């Protein structure tokens, strides 16, 4: 089973990644980049590399590395054949398999990868089958993809909240599968900082009840792709007193999890009098005082993407708004940490009884803004 796919340029820049099941930090690529430097010639990089926790299988096509990551042993030729099929599909869809064209068609690329693998196993890999499900890009589609694939700035602020109800004086150790991705951390006073510095393991005697064990920061260079994409078109006529709005939201990097509590907020220009919109899912409201459109989508259905479209009425004689409104997104994903942080194990010492242990992952949008 393929867990993750990274596309790496000839110079070693990771410019696209896709994950199935769970997020694997791009720090795993350090092993590959080290092997690339030692090899000198890209053609001489070993196609299969073993790391302490993963297997890295790669091909080199069109001055690009297609690097797959697996957590268990799989037949290497099986994976290599699939990677060549991915490269062939990109070439068929975009006319060439290059970094520029892949970046220009980011949304289509993610749609293709979503169909080509199902939970990490090859599903639809034939070009004619894929074209029935995903239309090849046109000039208009390429423009839209360019507008929805570009991240200006992104970072993750994460916390680990603990709920401890244990008798006695238990001594706990919490370890992670990928602690290297954390850029900045702060701890509850009960955590032994020296143990973290030397081993990147949390060692502590916990207080009773609920408390924040740790907070952390992941900067944009380690960030995985944002879990949803937004296709939008908000425009105002140069003359007249009207405008148009058309917004569609779809899943991008959800690792099979459902996007919940999806809410879209659009602060309109003060000259807007009213809106006449139709939502294919959920409900919308327009506040006449604050001039804010609020679209409560709910759960995101990947089989039928939610759309909000319609007309905007502006005060007669008012000039065309100087800037289009931004779109703010709120959402939640259960059992997914978009940072890629994963708990490896939790051990208890000092007490003889067997405790109940559980881990719950939640991703929430902080400030997710789309510029139109």
């Amino acid at each position: 089973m393929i867990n993750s796919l990274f596309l790496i340029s000839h110079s070693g820049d990771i410019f696209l990644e896709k994950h199935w099941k769970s997020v694997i930090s791009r720090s795993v690529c350090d092993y590959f980049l080290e092997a690339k430097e030692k090899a000198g010639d890209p053609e001489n990089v070993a196609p299969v590399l073993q790391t302490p926790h993963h297997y890295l299988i790669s091909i080199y096509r069109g001055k690009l590395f297609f690097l797959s990551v697996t957590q268990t042993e799989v037949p290497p030729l099986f994976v290599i054949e699939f990677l060549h099929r991915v490269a062939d599909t990109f070439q068929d869809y975009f006319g060439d398999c290059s970094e520029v064209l892949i970046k220009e068609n980011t949304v289509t690329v993610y749609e293709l990868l979503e169909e080509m693998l199902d939970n990490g196993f090859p599903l639809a890999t034939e070009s004619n089958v894929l074209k029935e499900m995903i239309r090849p890009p046109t000039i208009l589609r390429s423009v839209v993809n360019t507008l929805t694939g570009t991240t200006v700035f992104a970072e993750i602020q994460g916390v680990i909240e603990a709920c401890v109800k244990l008798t006695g004086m238990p001594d706990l150790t919490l370890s992670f599968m990928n602690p290297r991705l954390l850029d900045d951390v702060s701890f509850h006073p009960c955590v032994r900082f020296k143990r973290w510095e030397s081993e990147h393991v949390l060692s502590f005697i916990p207080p009773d009840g609920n408390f924040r064990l740790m907070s952390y920061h992941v900067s944009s260079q380690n960030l995985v792709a944002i879990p949803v994409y937004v296709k939008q078109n908000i425009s105002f006529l140069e003359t007249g007193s009207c405008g148009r709005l058309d917004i569609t939201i779809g899943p991008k990097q959800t690792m099979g999890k459902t996007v919940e509590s999806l809410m879209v907020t659009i602060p309109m220009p003060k000259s807007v009098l009213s809106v006449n919109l139709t939502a294919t899912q959920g409900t919308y409201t327009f506040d006449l005082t604050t001039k804010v459109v609020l679209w409560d989508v709910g759960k995101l259905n990947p089989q039928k993407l939610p759309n909000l479209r319609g007309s905007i009425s502006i005060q007669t004689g008012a000039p065309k708004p100087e800037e289009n409104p931004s779109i703010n997104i709120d959402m939640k994903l259960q059992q997914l940490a978009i940072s890629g942080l994963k708990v490896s194990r939790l051990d208890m010492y000092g007490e003889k009884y067997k405790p109940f242990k559980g881990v719950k992952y939640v991703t929430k949008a902080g400030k997710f803004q789309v510029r139109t």
Side-chain angles (χ1 to χ4, degrees), residues 88-153:
D88 290 341
T89 300
F90 290 171
Q91 188 159 347
D92 186 32
Y93 262 71
F94 313 133
D96 191 13
C97 185
S98 68
E99 180 181 356
V100 172
L101 286 171
I102 289 173
K103 285 182 175 179
E104 287 179 354
N105 296 277
T106 304
V107 174
T108 303
V109 166
Y110 279 113
E111 289 174 347
L112 287 169
L113 293 175
E114 196 68 40
E115 295 296 339
M116 295 183 78
L117 275 188
D118 181 28
N119 287 328
F121 294 95
L123 182 63
T125 59
E126 296 296 331
S127 182
N128 58 336
V129 175
L130 288 168
K131 286 179 179 177
E132 290 180 3
M133 298 182 288
I134 302 167
R135 290 174 299 164
T138 60
I139 294 177
L140 177 61
R141 184 172 171 84
S142 297
V143 171
V144 171
N145 287 345
T146 301
L147 292 175
T148 59
T150 302
T151 302
V152 176
F153 175 77

Side-chain angles (χ1 to χ4, degrees), residues 39-51:
D41 188 339
E43 301 285 353
N44 294 333
V45 179
V48 182
L49 298 171
Q50 185 175 357
T51 75

Side-chain angles (χ1 to χ4, degrees), residues 45-50 55-58 76 80:
V45 179
V48 182
L49 298 171
Q50 185 175 357
Y55 296 92
L56 309 181
I57 303 174
S58 66
I80 289 172

Side-chain angles (χ1 to χ4, degrees), residues 285-357:
T285 58
F286 176 66
D287 191 303
L288 290 171
T289 304
T290 60
K291 309 293 186 181
V292 171
V293 173
L294 188 64
W295 180 23
D296 187 352
V297 182
K299 287 187 177 181
L300 181 59
N301 180 7
Q303 305 302 322
K304 189 177 181 181
L305 301 182
N307 174 266
L308 180 70
R309 69 174 63 183
S311 60
I312 305 169
S313 297
I314 305 175
Q315 295 175 8
T316 304
K320 177 186 175 182
E322 294 183 0
E323 294 182 349
N324 277 358
S326 58
I327 301 172
N328 300 294
I329 309 290
D330 285 304
M331 61 183 169
K332 182 189 296 184
L333 291 93
Q334 300 285 356
Q335 290 307 106
L336 173 66
I338 207 69
S339 65
L341 187 67
K342 292 190 69 175
V343 172
S344 175
R345 59 185 297 157
L346 174 63
D347 297 306
M348 184 179 78
Y349 305 94
E351 299 292 341
K352 294 184 178 180
Y353 60 86
K354 186 177 181 181
F356 169 78
K357 298 180 286 187

Side-chain angles (χ1 to χ4, degrees), residues 9-281:
S9 68
H10 179 78
S11 60
D13 294 325
I14 303 169
F15 65 91
L16 188 138
E17 56 190 277
K18 169 66 177 167
H19 306 274
W20 295 268
K21 282 291 187 180
S22 61
V23 177
I24 293 178
S25 170
R26 61 171 55 184
S27 61
V28 74
C29 298
D30 292 345
Y31 296 97
F32 173 81
L33 296 175
E34 184 178 337
K36 172 182 172 294
E37 289 299 318
K38 290 180 179 179
D41 188 339
E43 301 285 353
N44 294 333
V45 179
V48 182
L49 298 171
Q50 185 175 357
T51 75
H53 301 289
H54 305 93
Y55 296 92
L56 309 181
I57 303 174
S58 66
I59 66 169
Y60 184 65
R61 285 276 300 267
K63 296 186 178 180
L64 299 178
F65 292 99
F66 290 69
L67 176 66
S68 65
V69 182
T70 69
Q71 291 180 316
T72 57
E73 286 192 55
V74 296
L77 292 178
F78 167 80
V79 178
I80 289 172
E81 170 63 26
F82 174 77
L83 294 178
H84 278 294
R85 187 61 62 91
V86 171
D88 290 341
T89 300
F90 290 171
Q91 188 159 347
D92 186 32
Y93 262 71
F94 313 133
D96 191 13
C97 185
S98 68
E99 180 181 356
V100 172
L101 286 171
I102 289 173
K103 285 182 175 179
E104 287 179 354
N105 296 277
T106 304
V107 174
T108 303
V109 166
Y110 279 113
E111 289 174 347
L112 287 169
L113 293 175
E114 196 68 40
E115 295 296 339
M116 295 183 78
L117 275 188
D118 181 28
N119 287 328
F121 294 95
L123 182 63
T125 59
E126 296 296 331
S127 182
N128 58 336
V129 175
L130 288 168
K131 286 179 179 177
E132 290 180 3
M133 298 182 288
I134 302 167
R135 290 174 299 164
T138 60
I139 294 177
L140 177 61
R141 184 172 171 84
S142 297
V143 171
V144 171
N145 287 345
T146 301
L147 292 175
T148 59
T150 302
T151 302
V152 176
F153 175 77
E155 65 176 0
I156 292 173
Q157 299 287 349
V159 297
I160 297 178
E161 301 283 359
C163 177
V164 179
K165 297 180 181 178
L166 301 172
T167 58
M169 289 286 288
D171 200 325
L172 306 181
T173 60
L174 179 65
S175 57
F176 305 100
M177 292 185 63
N178 41 10
R180 292 173 59 191
L181 63 84
L182 303 179
D183 295 323
D184 185 26
V185 292
S186 61
F187 304 104
H188 188 275
C190 70
V191 175
R192 300 179 179 102
F193 185 66
K194 287 187 177 180
R195 180 81 183 272
W196 171 262
E197 276 191 317
S198 60
E199 302 176 43
H200 274 63
V201 170
L202 294 182
S203 175
F204 58 100
I205 297 176
D208 195 41
N210 299 318
F211 64 98
R212 178 164 294 180
L213 180 64
M214 182 178 86
S215 61
Y216 61 91
H217 172 258
V218 179
S219 63
S220 56
Q221 61 262 29
N222 292 324
L223 187 66
V224 297
I226 293 170
V228 299
Y229 66 86
V230 180
K231 292 182 179 179
Q232 53 75 29
N233 183 17
I234 301 176
S235 59
F236 298 96
L237 298 180
E238 292 288 348
T239 57
S241 56
C242 65
R244 297 290 300 176
L245 179 147
D246 192 340
I247 299 172
T248 301
I249 302 177
K252 186 177 180 183
Q253 283 282 58
T254 64
M255 276 60 74
K257 306 300 181 183
T258 302
V259 177
E260 302 175 351
S261 306
L262 183 59
M263 188 82 71
V264 180
T265 306
I266 312 166
M268 288 290 181
K270 296 302 180 184
S271 58
V272 171
L273 291 175
S274 63
V275 296
N276 183 17
L277 308 174
T278 301
T280 61
Q281 180 182 332

